[in-house]
Amino acid sequence: MIAPCHFGLESVLRKEIERLGYDVTEVTDGRVTFFGDEEALCRGNIFLRTAERILIKIGSFHAETFEELFQGTRAIPWEEYIPRDGKFWVAKAASVRSRLFSPSDIQSVMKKAMVERLKGVYHISWFSEEGAGFPVRVFLLKDQVTVGLDSTGESLHKRGYRKLVAQAPIAENLAAALIMLTPWNKNRILVDPFCGSGTFPIEAAMMAANMAPGMNRDFTAESWRHIVSKSVWEDAQEEAEDLVDLGVKPDIQGYDIDDHMISIARENAKAAGVESLIHFQRRDVEQLSHPKKYGFIITNPPYGERLHDKEKMPGLYKTIGERYRALDSWSMYLISAYEGAEQAIGRKADKNRKIYNGMMKAYYYQYLGAKPPRPKA
């Protein structure tokens, strides 16, 4: 299986896959490959918080010309996966440092090769394509072609709860990964002072309640009964439902200056089933305070991408720094593409990590607070 993820977050996904009990065989930029059976495919789709999708790796070969791409694709035993009435297409092609670089041409050549192979196997010249869908994804890296069958469909970041979004929302799987890069747990305070549509607080609440991110959505492979039986999906779903604990009482708070955004965040939290675990409130970052120690700020503040917002950034980040310094023993983690972030905050981050938020290069600035004392035995 191949699990693509955000660039820079492969280590987080690797740990997740290993915690699920599967052996990771390769980690490359933006992808983690692991061994698994049909149960792994179902559990990967339902339980992984940081993956974008789960692909079944069905072929790998070297190709420097379109003829080699055609022959390599035709040699794959497509009939083991795609039935006579299956609908099949190359949904995405990506090429890095390879002689073949045009995605549309790669997709076209591969589709022709798939048709040629299946025509010969099924002894038909025309495909109805009325059955289940079989989207194919292909990666070319240094002329090595890797072919995967997409079991997921819509990206795994679409949990199903975010009906309404902010102007610059952070993807759910990216938010989950950023939380997982911190030592936060359900017994520690978490505040997002720029919560927008509520993604950070909702993902944190789902973690606190042990709620699998994919338990309330559908997957393409659910219609692949010849590959994954219905009972395996049902078992994985039942496992996810059994693990949910809505009796937890975490201190998770989301603030935003916009009343409308707060109402959107509440709606999204309700759709996710975690509205009782989060306190949303209209509040300016200038009012950020908390009486308790050892909490976490985890947030995605504005970056000033729009020209008329740029001049506000130094003042905004200065305020973030001031409010953070007023919080005793807290840690702060913020993702931002604003290059003057550390200077305006007034302190260099203890750690930072380059991460791509969509196509935008950003940094995850990590300000580490004191650890709370261990509870006495």
Side-chain angles (χ1 to χ4, degrees):
M1 316 257 173
I2 302 167
C5 64
H6 281 84
F7 283 100
L9 295 171
E10 299 84 0
S11 62
V12 185
L13 176 55
R14 177 185 190 139
K15 282 180 190 164
E16 268 204 287
I17 291 167
E18 289 173 342
R19 276 200 300 270
L20 273 185
Y22 304 112
D23 291 332
V24 169
T25 58
E26 188 182 19
V27 179
T28 53
D29 285 351
R31 294 202 301 282
V32 180
T33 304
F34 64 102
F35 275 125
D37 54 10
E38 57 183 56
E39 181 192 78
L41 180 131
C42 300
R43 293 181 75 232
N45 273 302
I46 290 172
F47 286 98
L48 291 176
R49 298 183 189 279
T50 62
E52 290 181 356
R53 57 189 66 251
I54 306 295
L55 309 173
I56 304 173
K57 183 179 177 181
I58 58 170
S60 184
F61 55 90
H62 188 85
E64 298 179 20
T65 65
F66 283 118
E67 179 60 23
E68 288 174 339
L69 179 68
F70 183 90
Q71 296 301 341
T73 304
R74 190 166 68 171
I76 293 169
W78 294 102
E79 65 278 4
E80 291 179 11
Y81 305 96
I82 302 171
R84 182 186 289 259
D85 67 344
K87 181 183 179 186
F88 56 96
W89 69 103
V90 182
K92 187 172 182 187
S95 176
V96 178
R97 299 199 294 281
S98 298
R99 285 173 178 80
L100 302 178
F101 57 83
S102 163
S104 58
D105 290 336
I106 292 165
Q107 288 167 295
S108 174
V109 168
M110 289 185 69
K111 170 76 184 210
K112 281 178 189 164
M114 292 166 72
V115 168
E116 281 300 305
R117 169 86 186 201
L118 293 173
K119 268 165 67 174
V121 172
Y122 292 129
H123 307 292
I124 53 176
S125 58
W126 181 80
F127 293 88
S128 67
E129 298 199 88
E130 291 171 343
F134 294 85
V136 173
R137 291 184 167 242
V138 58
F139 314 99
L140 279 76
L141 175 63
K142 296 179 183 173
D143 302 319
Q144 187 67 19
V145 183
T146 302
V147 185
L149 200 59
D150 179 10
S151 74
T152 303
E154 270 202 304
S155 171
L156 288 176
H157 82 265
K158 296 197 173 175
R159 320 292 206 209
Y161 67 73
R162 201 161 73 176
K163 313 294 182 200
L164 304 155
V165 297
Q167 266 186 330
I170 191 161
E172 294 90 323
N173 58 344
L174 176 55
L178 296 179
I179 295 169
M180 290 162 83
L181 279 171
T182 78
W184 177 82
N185 63 60
K186 64 187 176 186
N187 302 312
R188 306 276 295 271
I189 303 151
L190 188 154
V191 174
D192 179 358
F194 300 93
C195 74
S197 52
T199 310
F200 272 124
I202 292 168
E203 289 295 318
M206 289 174 75
M207 288 180 200
N210 214 5
M211 188 179 285
M215 62 185 287
N216 293 315
R217 54 158 287 171
D218 300 322
F219 305 100
T220 296
E222 285 179 84
S223 59
W224 300 353
R225 293 290 158 79
H226 60 299
I227 296 175
V228 189
S229 62
K230 187 181 178 186
S231 63
V232 181
W233 283 108
E234 288 171 348
D235 288 348
Q237 183 69 26
E238 193 176 320
E239 179 190 358
E241 287 166 6
D242 288 346
L243 289 170
V244 175
D245 176 12
L246 288 171
V248 292
K249 301 207 178 305
D251 188 345
I252 300 171
Q253 302 179 28
Y255 307 148
D256 202 278
I257 197 169
D258 184 341
D259 269 325
H260 180 57
M261 286 319 309
I262 291 298
S263 65
I264 283 174
R266 286 188 180 125
E267 282 297 310
N268 289 340
K270 188 175 179 183
V274 292
E275 73 271 28
S276 65
L277 308 181
I278 307 169
H279 174 68
F280 287 110
Q281 185 182 350
R282 184 191 175 281
R283 188 187 280 198
D284 194 310
V285 67
E286 289 178 358
Q287 300 169 294
L288 175 59
S289 64
H290 201 290
K292 293 181 185 171
K293 297 170 74 163
Y294 309 112
F296 286 78
I297 296 168
I298 304 179
T299 193
N300 175 37
Y303 306 164
E305 314 90 287
R306 290 184 300 233
L307 206 57
H308 64 277
D309 289 337
K310 262 193 167 56
E311 63 202 34
K312 300 175 189 169
M313 291 303 106
L316 177 69
Y317 281 78
K318 181 170 182 268
T319 302
I320 292 170
E322 288 167 353
R323 297 320 307 146
Y324 170 57
R325 283 188 288 277
L327 290 162
D328 187 13
S329 308
W330 278 50
S331 300
M332 178 167 71
Y333 294 79
L334 60 89
I335 181 171
S336 180
Y338 172 54
E339 290 180 1
E342 286 175 303
Q343 188 179 352
I345 285 169
R347 181 183 142 193
K348 191 169 169 55
D350 297 300
K351 293 181 185 176
N352 80 34
R353 191 177 185 123
K354 183 160 68 172
I355 284 168
Y356 282 85
N357 184 2
M359 296 306 289
M360 190 182 295
K361 183 175 79 173
Y363 286 91
Y364 193 38
Y365 297 103
Q366 301 165 61
Y367 294 87
L368 312 179
K371 289 181 182 175
R374 289 190 173 184
K376 289 172 184 168

